[in-house]
Amino acid sequence: MTGRRIVAGAVWGISWALALASLTLQAVWQLPQTALPGVFLSPAPAEMQARFDEIGVTVALIYGPVSAMILARRPHPVGVILAVHAVGSGIAAFGVQYGLLGAEIPGLPLWGLIAFAAGWGFVPGTFMTAALPLLVRRDAVPAWQRGVIVTGLAVAVLAFVASLTQQSVAAPVNPLAIDLPGYQAVLAPAYTALSFAAVTISVLSCGVLIGRWTRARGRERTGVAWLTLGHLFLTFSYVLLVLPAELAAPRWVVDLGMIAPVVGQVLYPAAILVFVLGQRLWGVEMVISRVILWASLTIGGVAVSFAIVAGTALVLPGVGGLWVVTPIVIALAVQPLRVWLQRRIDALVYGEGADPVSMLARLGDRIGDLEPGAAGLQRLCDAIRRVLRLGFVEVRAAGSSELVAASGRAPVDARGGGQLVRPLMVGARRIGDLIVAAREGQRLDRRTRALLDDIVGLVAAALQLVEAGVALEQARADLLARRAAERRAVRRELHDGLGPALAGIGFGLAATQNLLRDHPERARALLAELGDDLTRRARAVRELAGEVTPSPLEGATLGRALREIGGRFDSPALAVVVRVDAGADDHLPPPVRDGLYLIASEALANAVRHARGTRIEVRLERGVDGDSWMLRISDDGRGIAADAPWGVGMRSMRERAAELGARLEISTGQDGTTLALVGTRAAREEPGEAGTPAEVEGSPEAGTPVEAAGPAVRGGAR
């Protein structure tokens, strides 16, 4: 890896050093525009040859960094060709200026060698570029295209050897020339034939690119389109450069030939960047700023517009004093094309984020109907990654290991500005994080960071919607579970309690009918017993109906409801006393009041059925801290045996206590049984605010009530 970077850095440094040296010589010595005659084998007109140094400087400055970025990651043939083109063009540009300087300063060292370098320096890269698009692809190169590439390489080598060894003028002297008159005589026509062969290969490459563009889809189609456009400009410049001076081409063709090579050399590297970086070819995972990519494409777009304006102005010159107006009119006519092209460039680099207003609107549409839970977050991440053209997006809810979703591939190494974390805030509360990373081969630029700052509020709102959906789904699931539990309770009561009781009452009535004639006293006693049993069963049915209503209190206050249920059991043989401290209904939320009522009802029913005492006391009192409440049900009955199993009622009370986050305690002794629900806090308005629900304790051994976070009930029940 270090060796590749050294080579890449050398290519970049040498190409730029030669280009800058060429510009320095021209600026300091004010050298002529036309190169020394005879150093070029090209048949192009002298006006075009005068632009060869400008083209060489442009190629060296642009192709140098592009080839270096590719070579630093992988020594692919495309990177090698671009590197040869960059360094060779720098040599050619410097050779032009050094040759002109040697003509003015006799005895300049290596004058002949460097002067003729102007003619052979650019040849290898220029000729090999004709077949370069055939190497830019994902899959294997077809056999016939490999043949074209080999042919292009052979043409480039032969043209380079011809340029390297030619000596068509007396001075300067090329030390590498082959001093054979016959050999020198065939070099010029051979070079011309090789140039036409290179142009033919370049035209063939354009045809291949156009065919690939028609078949491509999605992002690949965009990359191929830019590569095709860049190569079309290069091919057009090649055609103009090989036209021999003897053809006497029109002036506008010559002028256009001086513009097209510069435009092509600017646009082609931009197309290479789009295709190679955008498609991640050859495993090249380069790190490049979006600003650099955007600037390269924008310069290419401006160059295209400039070429159209300049070329049209040459074809349609102004009349008389209107020659200044003609280019302006053409520029205004081409302006819509330039604006359209710039929009396409922005969309290619930034996606929908190129227009912030449109981006926010589209993103809002995509997250307006999110699914609850991780599926909704996944859809949110996909939308953000697609809209902003990012490589990785993750949304993570604070304090939840389940509400996490990601889209794309997380970067292995997030250094170098490739990853960004933005907190999702609601007021001063942090509800989660938005984590994003650039695509492989890119960095998050300032524009993208600003767009992310603009959408964090929208993402936070979307995360709240997702969390609300999760809470709603959980509430719905809890409701369904509660309904199922209520149905099971009704079924058990009907099957195990009311059904057998009614059957027993039916048998009792049949027995009474048999006793009426012979034993009327026994019949009356049996009828009284059946009446009491029927009363108890009717009371059980009312209690069961109260348990399955949405709120067992049915609009009544907790104190009134407890007194009413106590009054149902109150009789001369059993005194039921209910005492409720003031403020219970004002301080306790409705779910807590419902739970306390149901637990008290079950505890009373158990005490009446099993305790066989004479007094039951129900007490709902405020704790000493003023913020907690305790429900206590005590009786003076026979108590609960230490090894007595817990029935359905006891398990039901324990489950309800756990739901309220309280602790159920039972103490039994000689004076009866006390059941207490400990820790009912008035401030517990939201789930999770008071802490984790306490474990319910159901030991029949005596114990001291201890306050716990959440509701708590204490009382004697079976």
Side-chain angles (χ1 to χ4, degrees):
M1 187 68 175
T2 303
R4 290 200 300 268
R5 289 183 177 178
I6 293 175
V7 172
V11 169
W12 191 341
I14 293 172
S15 60
W16 275 31
L18 291 169
L20 294 176
S22 173
L23 295 174
T24 301
L25 288 178
Q26 185 180 30
V28 172
W29 295 94
Q30 297 295 314
L31 299 173
Q33 294 291 329
T34 304
L36 288 178
V39 296
F40 297 115
L41 279 178
S42 172
E47 296 89 341
M48 292 186 181
Q49 292 187 13
R51 300 293 181 183
F52 281 5
D53 62 327
E54 298 175 2
I55 298 173
V57 169
T58 303
V59 172
L61 293 178
I62 296 178
Y63 282 53
V66 173
S67 61
M69 283 188 290
I70 297 177
L71 291 176
R73 295 299 185 270
R74 183 174 176 182
H76 193 273
V78 170
V80 175
I81 292 174
L82 295 181
V84 171
H85 201 11
V87 175
S89 296
I91 292 173
F94 180 75
V96 170
Q97 301 304 322
Y98 196 84
L100 293 172
L101 182 63
E104 297 186 5
I105 304 177
L108 199 64
L110 302 177
W111 177 44
L113 177 63
I114 299 178
F116 274 93
W120 54 257
F122 70 91
V123 172
T126 302
F127 276 68
M128 287 191 294
T129 304
L132 185 144
L134 304 181
L135 295 168
V136 183
R137 57 187 305 130
R138 288 180 177 273
D139 50 0
V141 180
W144 73 269
Q145 293 185 22
R146 289 199 298 270
V148 174
I149 294 171
V150 172
T151 303
L153 178 60
V155 169
V157 171
L158 292 175
F160 173 69
V161 172
S163 300
L164 187 68
T165 59
Q166 67 101 4
Q167 181 73 61
S168 57
V169 292
V173 176
N174 180 11
L176 302 178
I178 298 177
D179 190 14
L180 295 174
Y183 176 78
Q184 294 294 331
V186 301
L187 287 183
Y191 183 88
T192 301
L194 293 171
S195 298
F196 276 101
V199 172
T200 302
I201 293 174
S202 186
V203 172
L204 182 61
S205 297
C206 286
V208 173
L209 286 175
I210 293 173
R212 287 169 57 185
W213 175 75
T214 58
R215 296 189 302 270
R217 294 293 182 270
R219 292 173 54 194
E220 184 178 1
R221 183 182 179 88
T222 303
V224 175
W226 279 96
L227 190 61
T228 303
L229 182 62
H231 198 72
L232 282 172
F233 265 95
L234 277 187
T235 303
F236 182 65
S237 69
Y238 291 163
V239 172
L240 296 178
L241 290 176
V242 299
L243 293 178
E246 293 79 10
L247 291 179
R251 179 66 188 180
W252 68 268
V253 174
V254 177
D255 292 337
L256 190 59
M258 292 186 290
I259 298 172
V262 177
V263 175
Q265 301 294 358
V266 170
L267 186 61
Y268 198 68
I272 291 290
L273 283 177
V274 171
F275 197 81
V276 175
L277 298 183
Q279 307 302 322
R280 292 174 54 212
L281 295 184
W282 325 312
V284 177
E285 299 176 354
M286 300 178 227
V287 178
I288 181 172
S289 170
R290 284 186 176 187
V291 175
I292 296 176
L293 186 59
W294 177 86
S296 301
L297 294 174
T298 300
I299 292 172
V302 172
V304 172
S305 302
F306 171 75
I308 295 174
V309 172
T312 309
L314 294 174
V315 177
L316 301 174
V319 179
L322 298 180
W323 65 272
V324 178
V325 179
T326 301
I328 298 176
V329 174
I330 297 172
L332 293 176
V334 175
Q335 179 65 14
L337 173 62
R338 195 202 68 78
V339 174
W340 175 85
L341 187 60
Q342 188 64 54
R343 284 201 301 265
R344 299 285 292 181
I345 292 170
D346 292 343
L348 178 65
V349 178
Y350 294 103
E352 297 179 45
D355 182 2
V357 176
S358 175
M359 180 268 296
L360 290 173
R362 294 182 184 181
L363 186 59
D365 292 340
R366 293 179 182 182
I367 67 176
D369 186 21
L370 293 178
E371 303 174 30
L377 286 185
Q378 182 64 51
R379 184 178 177 186
L380 175 62
C381 293
D382 291 340
I384 296 174
R385 187 172 68 91
R386 183 168 53 252
V387 167
L388 295 184
R389 295 291 180 90
L390 298 169
F392 174 74
V393 176
E394 180 180 8
V395 175
R396 182 183 298 272
S400 175
S401 59
E402 297 180 357
L403 284 182
V404 178
S407 178
R409 188 173 67 175
V412 178
D413 186 358
R415 295 174 296 179
Q419 182 168 308
L420 186 68
V421 179
R422 284 288 185 264
L424 303 177
M425 309 294 294
V426 175
R429 185 167 63 96
R430 184 170 183 168
I431 65 171
D433 293 301
L434 171 64
I435 305 169
V436 302
R439 290 178 174 178
E440 294 184 15
Q442 298 182 9
R443 287 191 179 97
L444 292 173
D445 61 339
R446 184 179 302 176
R447 181 173 183 175
T448 304
R449 292 170 183 266
L451 290 173
L452 289 171
D453 290 337
D454 290 338
I455 69 169
V456 289
L458 186 62
V459 177
L463 179 58
Q464 280 190 301
L465 287 176
V466 171
E467 290 181 324
V470 172
L472 180 60
E473 288 295 318
Q474 184 62 44
R476 183 180 293 113
D478 292 343
L479 177 60
L480 293 176
R482 183 171 180 178
R483 287 178 176 174
E486 289 174 347
R487 286 195 294 269
R488 288 194 298 269
V490 171
R491 183 182 62 186
R492 285 196 303 267
E493 183 65 25
L494 293 177
H495 181 271
D496 300 337
L498 187 58
L502 291 178
I505 292 173
F507 288 129
L509 290 174
T512 302
Q513 185 177 5
N514 295 330
L515 293 172
L516 279 176
R517 184 177 62 182
D518 299 328
H519 305 282
E521 293 299 328
R522 291 177 59 186
R524 282 193 295 271
L526 183 57
L527 284 174
E529 184 178 347
L530 291 175
D532 292 340
D533 192 14
L534 189 59
T535 301
R536 289 193 299 271
R537 297 304 172 183
R539 184 184 299 123
V541 171
R542 287 195 299 270
E543 293 171 359
L544 183 63
E547 290 184 3
V548 298
T549 57
S551 175
L553 300 181
E554 295 184 337
T557 64
L558 180 58
R560 178 181 174 184
L562 290 176
R563 293 186 182 93
E564 286 183 354
I565 195 172
R568 296 177 191 170
F569 294 102
D570 189 49
S571 66
L574 178 63
V576 180
V577 180
V578 178
R579 294 186 175 89
V580 179
D581 288 356
D585 291 285
D586 297 330
H587 293 83
L588 294 173
V592 176
R593 296 199 300 268
D594 291 347
L596 293 175
Y597 173 80
L598 293 173
I599 292 174
S601 301
E602 184 65 32
L604 269 174
N606 279 355
V608 170
R609 293 171 185 168
H610 306 292
R612 298 188 181 181
T614 60
R615 177 183 174 84
I616 300 175
E617 181 178 4
V618 179
R619 178 78 185 214
L620 181 60
E621 55 189 3
R622 189 190 297 268
V624 294
D625 60 355
D627 191 37
S628 62
W629 292 75
M630 177 181 292
L631 177 63
R632 187 191 303 269
I633 298 98
S634 303
D635 64 70
D636 60 352
R638 61 181 182 178
I640 302 176
D643 57 350
W646 281 25
V648 175
M650 293 297 291
R651 287 195 297 270
S652 174
M653 286 188 291
R654 183 178 63 174
E655 291 170 358
R656 293 189 189 280
E659 291 174 358
L660 298 177
R663 185 172 64 255
L664 186 67
E665 294 183 351
I666 299 175
S667 60
T668 184
Q670 296 179 351
D671 296 332
T673 301
T674 298
L675 182 147
L677 186 67
V678 182
T680 305
R681 291 195 176 276
R684 193 176 187 273
E685 293 286 349
E686 298 181 4
E689 290 293 323
T692 304
E695 184 71 24
V696 178
E697 300 178 359
S699 172
E701 299 177 0
T704 304
V706 179
E707 288 208 1
V713 173
R714 176 187 196 127
R718 281 82 176 160

